[in-house]
Amino acid sequence: MLIDFQYEQQKKFDALALDILQRPKHFLNFDCISDFYQAPWLQQFPTGTQWSATGMDDGAEEYCICIEYKAQSMFIDYAAQHLSVTYEWNGLKRSSQHIA
């Protein structure tokens, strides 16, 4: 039996991204940028995943997070008590909107 390791890593990213999309308040609960970078769930993404965050100074009311692995991307935007999570892969896009 052959195992496609890249496909397995993509499935790992997909599963976590969809979980965040469905339950954002469980994952996206931080007050500053250090809270985001120390979030234990970030380490659950496959090796090679890149992430960045902007606008998360202490007390900031808006931020944007980008998490990417190869062709898969997740964008998280928070502004004025409105949370938007978007997941894209192979031209498909899934989004959710929430009032924080």
Side-chain angles (χ1 to χ4, degrees):
M1 180 167 130
L2 292 174
I3 298 173
D4 183 342
F5 289 105
Q6 181 173 333
Y7 179 69
E8 292 301 315
Q9 295 302 306
Q10 289 172 327
K11 283 184 2 184
K12 185 176 180 179
F13 186 100
D14 192 42
L16 184 53
L18 292 175
D19 197 18
I20 293 169
L21 187 72
Q22 294 170 354
R23 301 181 311 138
K25 291 181 183 179
H26 176 76
F27 293 94
L28 308 175
N29 190 4
F30 24 76
D31 296 320
C32 64
I33 197 161
S34 65
D35 291 346
F36 165 69
Y37 284 111
Q38 293 177 18
W41 55 266
L42 270 180
Q43 303 311 315
Q44 295 174 15
F45 280 108
T47 301
T49 299
Q50 298 179 357
W51 49 77
S52 62
T54 59
M56 292 184 72
D57 298 329
D58 288 342
E61 294 187 21
E62 297 182 7
Y63 59 81
C64 180
I65 297 170
C66 178
I67 303 172
E68 298 176 301
Y69 177 76
K70 300 195 183 280
Q72 295 163 272
S73 301
M74 172 168 265
F75 302 97
I76 302 161
D77 291 303
Y78 178 81
Q81 301 294 318
H82 184 262
L83 179 64
S84 171
V85 181
T86 304
Y87 175 54
E88 298 179 12
W89 184 21
N90 290 336
L92 300 173
K93 184 186 287 189
R94 295 181 80 177
S95 297
S96 65
Q97 308 288 322
H98 305 273
I99 305 271

